[in-house]
């Protein structure tokens, strides 16, 4: 049986890995992980998952010192 690409455990694992990369001060790697699941997260349409994805995106940009993080944090909280 073929694995479902929208498998929540795989998405959860990727979000957790991204979070760990941010903690390890590797925001570029975190951004790669976050971007790799963006479409899947959006297609699932689970509000909490989308919000968590956007929040991690904001955290990664914040860890880079990128001013775009402020807008992303606001968007994630909406």
């Amino acid at each position: 049986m073929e694995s479902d690409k929208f498998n929540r455990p795989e998405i959860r694992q990727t979000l957790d890995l991204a979070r760990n990369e941010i903690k390890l001060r590797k925001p570029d790697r975190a951004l790669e992980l976050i971007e790799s699941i963006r479409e899947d997260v959006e297609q699932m349409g689970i509000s909490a998952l989308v919000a968590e994805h956007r929040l991690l995106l904001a955290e990664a940009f914040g860890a880079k010192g990128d001013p775009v993080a402020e807008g992303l944090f606001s968007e994630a909280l909406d």
Side-chain angles (χ1 to χ4, degrees):
M1 184 158 91
E2 186 176 324
S3 163
D4 181 5
K5 76 175 191 170
F6 301 117
N7 187 353
R8 278 189 74 179
E10 288 181 14
I11 291 173
R12 166 64 38 219
Q13 180 181 21
T14 302
L15 291 172
D16 290 343
L17 288 171
R19 184 175 291 105
N20 286 334
E21 293 296 331
I22 293 167
K23 289 178 185 176
L24 294 171
R25 297 185 178 174
K26 297 180 181 178
D28 290 324
R29 177 64 184 136
L31 288 169
E32 289 173 13
L33 290 164
I34 294 164
E35 183 58 29
S36 75
I37 59 169
R38 181 183 55 81
E39 288 182 28
D40 294 340
V41 168
E42 290 174 0
Q43 287 179 3
M44 288 181 70
I46 300 171
S47 298
L49 198 59
V50 171
E52 182 177 1
H53 183 267
R54 290 181 180 164
L55 185 58
L56 281 173
L57 183 66
E59 287 180 25
F61 276 107
K64 289 178 60 125
D66 193 318
V68 75
E70 185 177 338
L72 292 171
F73 276 116
S74 294
E75 182 182 308
L77 295 174
D78 287 340

